Amino acid sequence: MNAEALDGRLLFAIPKKGRLHDKCLELLAGADIQFRRHHRLDVCLVKNHNIALVFLPASDIPSFVGKGNVDLGITGQDVILEAQMEKHVTEVLKLGFGKCALQVQVPEAGPIKTVEDLAGKRVVTSFEVLAGQYFKDIDDRLQLAEDKRTKIEYVGGSVEAACSLGLADGIVDLVESGDTMRAAGLHAIATVLQTEAVLIKSSTPKHPALEPLIKLITSRIAGVVAAGRYVICEYNIPRERLPAATAVTPGRRAPTVSPLEDEAWVAVSSMVEKNRAADVMDELVEIGAEDILIFNLDNCRV
Ligand SMILES: Nc1ncnc2c1ncn2[C@@H]1O[C@H](COP(=O)(O)OP(=O)(O)OP(=O)(O)O)[C@@H](O)[C@H]1O
Ligand SMILES: O=P(O)(O)OC[C@H]1O[C@H](OP(=O)(O)OP(=O)(O)O)[C@H](O)[C@@H]1O
Ligand SMILES: [Mg+2]
């Protein structure tokens, strides 16, 4: 693809593989951003918008966005901090996936119990900057001499193998379910940070004319994210129990209440957070609601 084909288009960086990739494709589909990616090509034009998608490693996206080489991107908060780009990018939206924690881990059976025990020893990580800052603070606090300070060593992947290979006394790596950590015989002794995937834009945009398109795409993606977070709860309730019921399902602004042919009853429709839906249904049954239905949302603007 030649450079002119990209001229004037909003460049939107998407993780090319790994944990965030599939979720990003779902977001793009939900936002009706249409494209066909040719085999092995990392740049492709969007058919129905003035956008080009650029598929990049998640860890490279913060500096591409921060330096204004691309206008918009999706990546993890962890790699933004690791790239020291937090002042150069603006977090537009939290996306609710890619949630995990960057943790200090040591062999379960070993003598090291705290980060103070680990200070001064060897730590292997893919997050050199964040691990370096974390242990610098501890080394400073413990007033360790220059030659006794924690040694941080970078590896590009399979960090969890470092202790059993004899390369490290501890590691700093991402943990979600904890399966990788436990399988490697490790356990966490401290959390450096919590992270999730975010939509980011450059803090000093090179193409101000693209701002309306950034707003539009942000609004569409926010709709898809909210649709995944909420369900619609509908039920019938005796009119005199309505105040109790609407306390359980207050909705985002207010629940929709409709009359029924039977004047003693009303129908209620309300948005409910998906992870609270089962509890809400239990409470509604307690209050005397009947015919309680839950519907998934395909998309929304709220
Ligand atoms: N287990 C996980 N659960 C949730 N989010 C994760 C997990 N591992 C990584 N992430 C998030 O995804 C981002 C990219 O990491 P990921 O490992 O997917 O990319 P990668 O290392 O480029 O790909 P790969 O692991 O396939 O080589 C991380 O910076 C983090 O924000
Ligand atoms: O707590 P868990 O659910 O096990 O997830 C954590 C693992 O996920 C990531 O690895 P990934 O699968 O991306 O492989 P990588 O180490 O090759 O990057 C991360 O580096 C951890 O190893
Ligand atoms: Mg990985």
Side-chain angles (χ1 to χ4, degrees):
M1 189 178 307
N2 56 31
E4 284 114 69
L6 300 180
D7 233 13
R9 285 187 181 249
L10 180 142
L11 301 184
F12 187 178
I14 302 293
K16 65 186 288 182
K17 64 180 175 74
R19 302 275 181 154
L20 307 182
H21 177 75
D22 291 350
K23 288 279 184 189
C24 287
L25 295 190
E26 282 174 27
L27 277 189
L28 295 176
D32 193 29
I33 295 173
Q34 300 172 10
F35 63 96
R36 186 174 306 129
R37 184 179 173 191
H38 292 283
H39 184 56
R40 302 208 54 80
L41 262 190
D42 285 336
V43 181
C44 68
L45 303 184
V46 171
K47 288 184 205 164
N48 57 339
H49 292 283
N50 192 29
I51 298 175
L53 300 178
V54 189
F55 292 90
L56 296 170
S59 54
D60 288 343
I61 291 177
S63 47
F64 271 84
V65 177
K67 290 175 187 162
N69 301 111
V70 303
D71 306 289
L72 206 56
I74 294 178
T75 191
Q77 292 167 320
D78 53 341
V79 290
I80 296 171
L81 294 168
E82 177 65 19
Q84 298 176 285
M85 279 289 146
E86 65 274 19
K87 291 204 173 65
H88 302 277
V89 305
T90 302
E91 189 179 296
V92 184
L93 200 63
K94 290 188 176 46
L95 299 173
F97 60 86
K99 288 187 178 179
C100 53
L102 185 64
Q103 294 191 311
V104 184
Q105 304 162 37
V106 294
E108 224 161 357
I112 299 170
K113 304 289 176 216
T114 64
V115 284
E116 287 77 15
D117 296 340
L118 185 57
K121 300 193 166 62
R122 299 163 307 159
V123 172
V124 160
T125 185
S126 301
F127 292 85
E128 272 184 298
V129 171
L130 292 171
Q133 290 167 351
Y134 186 82
F135 279 97
K136 179 184 180 303
D137 287 349
I138 295 170
D139 291 352
D140 285 350
R141 183 154 47 78
L142 297 176
Q143 298 183 328
L144 295 184
E146 211 44 55
D147 59 334
K148 296 273 188 285
R149 293 174 77 86
T150 310
K151 287 155 274 300
I152 308 286
E153 195 145 326
Y154 173 84
V155 295
S158 303
V159 183
E160 65 281 357
C163 292
S164 54
L165 291 175
L167 300 174
D169 302 294
I171 64 166
V172 172
D173 199 14
L174 297 172
V175 177
E176 188 218 355
S177 65
D179 287 348
T180 308
M181 175 171 76
R182 280 188 293 274
L186 303 170
H187 73 141
I189 54 169
T191 297
V192 177
L193 57 84
Q194 304 280 348
T195 174
E196 74 174 273
V198 286
L199 179 69
I200 52 173
K201 64 176 184 177
S202 173
S203 298
T204 47
K206 278 197 181 152
H207 310 107
L210 293 173
E211 203 52 40
L213 185 53
I214 290 182
K215 277 216 169 69
L216 179 90
I217 296 306
T218 303
S219 158
R220 286 191 178 198
I221 291 179
V224 181
V225 172
R229 198 171 287 161
Y230 291 97
V231 290
I232 296 293
C233 179
E234 283 189 9
Y235 54 92
N236 296 329
I237 185 104
R239 196 179 281 276
E240 87 269 6
R241 310 235 174 100
L242 187 57
T246 52
V248 177
T249 59
R252 280 175 60 88
R253 183 160 299 142
T256 305
V257 180
S258 322
L260 293 179
E261 288 295 334
D262 179 346
E263 285 188 1
W265 286 71
V266 290
V268 180
S269 172
S270 179
M271 280 176 87
V272 168
E273 277 183 64
K274 194 177 259 179
N275 60 11
R276 289 200 57 242
D279 289 343
V280 164
M281 289 172 86
D282 293 340
E283 288 174 43
L284 290 173
V285 169
E286 265 316 287
I287 292 167
E290 291 183 6
D291 310 316
I292 306 168
L293 307 174
I294 295 283
F295 299 98
N296 278 320
L297 285 166
D298 272 345
N299 211 329
C300 65
R301 298 293 162 90
V302 290

